């Protein structure tokens, strides 16, 4: 089992008005973009920390984001509804390490849908912890003493709002997206966050979103299909209960 490292939290970017946060792909020496962190920001109000999604969509979206991080780290791939481990070497990031370790230790289970549900149970707590350690979030208690709950509020509004604002503008103007943005767009589309992301946008922007996400022969398309089924099943269950 891999535990979250203790010690002082890392620094977060002071401003993201002019430049995208650094993203690295590929080699074992490079830490991949924390896609789940960026999706966490997108799925919450950048000032209050209140969620924009219902619980199942949020938890499964974060779980898919963690799996996407391992895909870009070249540790796993997705194939016809199953996860295939390509490289069992532990990533530098403790949470990516934990997720990969669980995949490796249960080789008899490969169904993407099953792993999405499994990781969804803990994804919110784990991703928010990683972000607090990085100085991106702070925990705040709200409500009466006997009915308190915790919100994770961004420590910098500009950092929290960057991915949402950038992706929304790129889609509305039908501009190309890099791989991470396409992945975030896919997570937004299949958790139904796209409705808010493109609120008031012309129909062409929604067509552009689907064309970018539904690229043929992309392993991530397989992940998105399983995420879509999980969210759709949850919505149907809620409506018929």
């Amino acid at each position: 089992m891999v535990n979250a490292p203790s010690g002082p939290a890392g620094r977060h970017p002071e401003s993201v008005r002019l430049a995208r946060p650094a993203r690295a792909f590929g080699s074992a020496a490079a830490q991949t973009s924390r896609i789940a962190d960026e999706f966490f920001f997108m799925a919450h109000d950048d000032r209050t920390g209140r969620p924009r999604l219902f619980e199942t969509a949020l938890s499964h979206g974060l779980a898919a984001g963690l799996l996407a991080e391992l895909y870009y780290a070249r540790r796993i791939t997705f194939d016809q509804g199953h996860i295939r481990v390509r490289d069992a070497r532990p990533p530098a990031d403790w949470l990516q390490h934990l997720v990969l370790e669980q995949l490796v230790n249960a080789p008899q289970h490969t169904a993407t849908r099953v792993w999405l549900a499994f990781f969804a149970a803990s994804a919110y707590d784990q991703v928010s912890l990683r972000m607090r350690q990085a100085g991106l979030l702070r925990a705040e208690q709200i409500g009466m003493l006997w009915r308190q709950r915790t919100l994770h509020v961004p420590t910098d509004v500009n950092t929290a709002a960057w991915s949402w604002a950038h992706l929304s503008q790129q889609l509305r103007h039908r501009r190309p997206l890099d791989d991470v943005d396409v992945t975030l767009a896919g997570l937004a589309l299949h958790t139904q966050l796209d409705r808010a992301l493109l609120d008031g946008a012309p129909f062409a922007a929604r067509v552009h979103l689907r064309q970018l996400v539904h690229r043929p022969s992309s392993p991530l398309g397989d992940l998105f299909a399983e995420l879509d089924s999980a969210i759709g099943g949850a919505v149907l269950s809620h409506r018929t209960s």
Side-chain angles (χ1 to χ4, degrees):
M1 183 64 66
V2 180
N3 296 317
S6 59
R11 297 179 179 177
H12 67 281
E14 293 182 357
S15 173
V16 287
R17 290 190 180 92
L18 300 179
R20 157 191 305 282
R23 290 169 169 174
F25 299 122
S27 70
Q31 181 175 324
T32 61
S33 174
R34 291 179 173 180
I35 291 170
D37 292 13
E38 294 199 46
F39 180 73
F40 189 101
F41 274 144
M42 290 179 60
H44 293 81
D45 184 272
D46 50 71
R47 294 183 181 275
T48 67
R50 294 183 183 276
R52 290 172 164 139
L53 291 172
F54 63 96
E55 184 176 356
T56 299
L58 175 58
S59 61
H60 280 71
L62 289 170
L66 290 172
L67 291 172
E69 291 182 20
L70 290 179
Y71 169 77
Y72 282 116
R74 299 182 182 176
R75 297 307 198 274
I76 64 172
T77 192
F78 308 97
D79 179 28
Q80 297 182 346
H82 294 271
I83 296 175
R84 311 295 184 194
V85 176
R86 300 173 58 191
D87 185 347
R89 290 177 299 167
D93 176 76
W94 70 264
L95 183 48
Q96 294 174 9
H97 185 173
L98 175 61
V99 172
L100 180 61
E101 181 183 62
Q102 291 172 321
L103 292 170
V104 170
N105 288 342
Q108 71 276 23
H109 299 297
T110 61
T112 306
R113 182 84 174 269
V114 171
W115 281 114
L116 276 173
F118 177 78
F119 290 126
S122 57
Y124 182 89
D125 290 338
Q126 291 174 334
V127 173
S128 62
L129 172 59
R130 182 172 70 175
M131 295 177 74
R132 292 200 309 272
Q133 290 176 331
L136 297 169
L137 299 174
R138 66 177 184 274
E140 287 189 3
Q141 300 295 322
I142 64 169
M144 298 296 185
L145 181 61
W146 56 91
R147 294 185 62 185
Q148 281 193 339
R149 64 190 182 99
T150 302
L151 287 181
H152 293 93
V153 181
T155 56
D156 184 277
V157 173
N158 294 319
T159 301
W162 195 92
S163 288
W164 177 279
H166 168 75
L167 190 57
S168 180
Q169 287 300 310
Q170 293 295 99
L171 291 170
R172 288 168 191 268
H173 294 286
R174 285 170 279 171
R175 295 170 182 155
L177 302 178
D178 67 19
D179 288 342
V180 172
D181 285 333
V182 169
T183 304
L184 290 172
L187 295 176
L189 176 62
H190 293 293
T191 58
Q192 303 178 11
L193 186 60
D194 63 306
R195 299 175 183 178
L197 182 70
L198 294 178
D199 184 37
F203 180 71
R206 301 181 183 278
V207 172
H208 183 56
L209 168 61
R210 292 182 176 276
Q211 289 175 336
L212 289 171
V213 171
H214 295 156
R215 294 180 297 184
S217 304
S218 170
L220 282 177
D222 198 78
L223 172 64
F224 293 147
E226 297 301 318
L227 175 61
D228 190 72
S229 295
I231 301 302
V235 171
L236 181 61
S237 176
H238 177 73
R239 287 175 177 172
T240 56
S241 60

